[in-house]
């Protein structure tokens, strides 16, 4: 299967960044584009959660354009020297390698089995990681970061995965109302909910790293 429209978009990016193209595009760097990647990613999330078909198509295109832009930039930056083909090749190899239950002989019948396979493969792929926290971007929004850190804490027993929920709720609507009430209460008392959660997460991550130390290593 060929994708002529995708190839055309790759050529469009190259034209805009090349001689006689757009002066703004030509001046951009990986660093200067970060703000746009973040913005476009959030706009895509909005479209996926509440947008129309056309909204999703547009925002997927904007995120795709960012990927192609970075790849073209790298293709023309000494010392980087890779393009979208290299990115695609690396990603294909990664996905095939991460799914031996699809492309190989491994067996993973449930989603939990698949996660266990991924964890084992990541341990082999990234032997330099010494903590379950390694690889978690600390710049994530606090709620998303909390979800990641709690998952890792449960994995090594710092938090009990099977504990009865301390705050009963049955729907995301209930959860959303509760979170909004907490943030509103914090705001009314001059407290920063985002900063408070990040501070608590730093403490939890410290507990996780302490738990990972060998016995007597503290």
């Amino acid at each position: 299967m060929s994708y002529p429209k995708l190839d055309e978009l790759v050529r469009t990016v190259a034209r805009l960044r090349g001689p006689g193209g757009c002066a703004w595009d030509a001046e951009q760097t990986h660093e200067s584009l970060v703000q746009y990647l973040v913005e476009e990613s959030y706009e895509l999330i909005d479209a996926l959660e509440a947008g129309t078909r056309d909204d999703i198509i547009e925002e997927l295109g904007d995120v795709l354009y960012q990927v192609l832009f970075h790849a073209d930039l790298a293709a023309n930056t000494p010392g980087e020297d890779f393009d979208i083909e290299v990115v695609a090749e690396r990603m294909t190899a990664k996905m095939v390698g991460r799914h031996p239950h699809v492309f190989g002989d491994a067996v993973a019948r449930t989603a939990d089995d698949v996660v266990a396979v991924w964890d084992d493969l990541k341990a082999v792929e990234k032997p330099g990681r010494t903590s379950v926290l390694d690889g978690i971007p600390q710049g994530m929004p606090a709620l998303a970061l909390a979800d990641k850190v709690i998952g890792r804490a449960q994995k090594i027993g710092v938090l009990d995965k099977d504990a009865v929920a301390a705050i009963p709720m049955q729907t995301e609507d209930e959860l959303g109302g509760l979170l909004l009430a907490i943030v509103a209460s914090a705001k009314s008392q001059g407290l920063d909910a985002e900063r408070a959660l990040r501070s608590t997460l730093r403490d939890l991550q410290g507990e996780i790293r302490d738990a990972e130390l060998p016995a007597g290593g503290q």
Side-chain angles (χ1 to χ4, degrees):
M1 183 180 295
S2 63
Y3 296 93
K5 296 300 182 182
L6 182 58
D7 292 338
E8 183 179 7
L9 180 57
V10 172
R11 291 192 296 270
T12 298
V13 175
R15 172 73 184 277
L16 288 170
R17 294 200 64 258
C22 174
W24 184 91
D25 288 51
E27 291 179 357
Q28 300 312 301
T29 65
H30 291 305
E31 293 75 17
S32 70
L33 291 171
V34 168
Q35 60 180 314
Y36 304 108
L37 177 58
V38 171
E39 179 181 341
E40 300 296 359
S41 296
Y42 279 121
E43 289 181 0
L44 173 57
I45 291 170
D46 283 346
L48 292 171
E49 292 182 344
T52 65
R53 173 181 179 274
D54 285 343
D55 293 334
I56 294 172
I57 291 172
E58 179 178 355
E59 300 306 337
L60 279 171
D62 286 343
V63 172
L64 173 61
Y65 191 82
Q66 290 295 311
V67 174
L68 296 177
F69 201 123
H70 281 279
D72 187 82
L73 198 161
N76 294 280
T77 300
E80 294 187 1
D81 303 319
F82 66 84
D83 60 13
I84 194 63
E85 285 288 299
V86 175
V87 174
E89 179 183 35
R90 181 75 61 88
M91 195 62 197
T92 298
K94 181 177 180 179
M95 288 298 99
V96 171
R98 290 276 178 89
H99 293 79
H101 52 292
V102 176
F103 300 99
D105 299 327
V107 176
R109 293 187 173 87
T110 69
D112 287 342
D113 291 341
V114 172
V115 172
V117 169
W118 286 343
D119 288 343
D120 290 342
L121 289 170
K122 287 178 184 177
V124 174
E125 291 173 4
K126 302 182 183 295
R129 291 186 174 179
T130 58
S131 170
V132 295
L133 297 172
D134 290 346
I136 298 179
Q138 295 299 306
M140 295 171 67
L143 276 177
L145 180 60
D147 185 78
K148 283 283 188 182
V149 173
I150 288 170
R152 304 299 168 86
Q154 291 172 336
K155 180 177 293 187
I156 65 170
V158 172
L159 294 178
D160 185 359
K161 184 177 183 180
D162 298 320
V164 177
I167 304 175
M169 65 193 75
Q170 296 183 342
T171 69
E172 289 190 354
D173 285 342
E174 291 181 34
L175 173 59
L178 177 60
L179 291 172
L180 185 61
I182 291 172
V183 174
S185 180
K187 183 176 178 62
S188 70
Q189 298 175 68
L191 301 175
D192 187 323
E194 175 86 6
R195 184 169 62 228
L197 182 53
R198 284 191 176 280
S199 177
T200 300
L201 287 172
R202 281 193 292 272
D203 292 341
L204 177 55
Q205 291 185 78
E207 291 181 40
I208 292 172
R209 294 191 186 279
D210 286 344
E212 290 175 324
L213 290 173
Q218 297 188 24

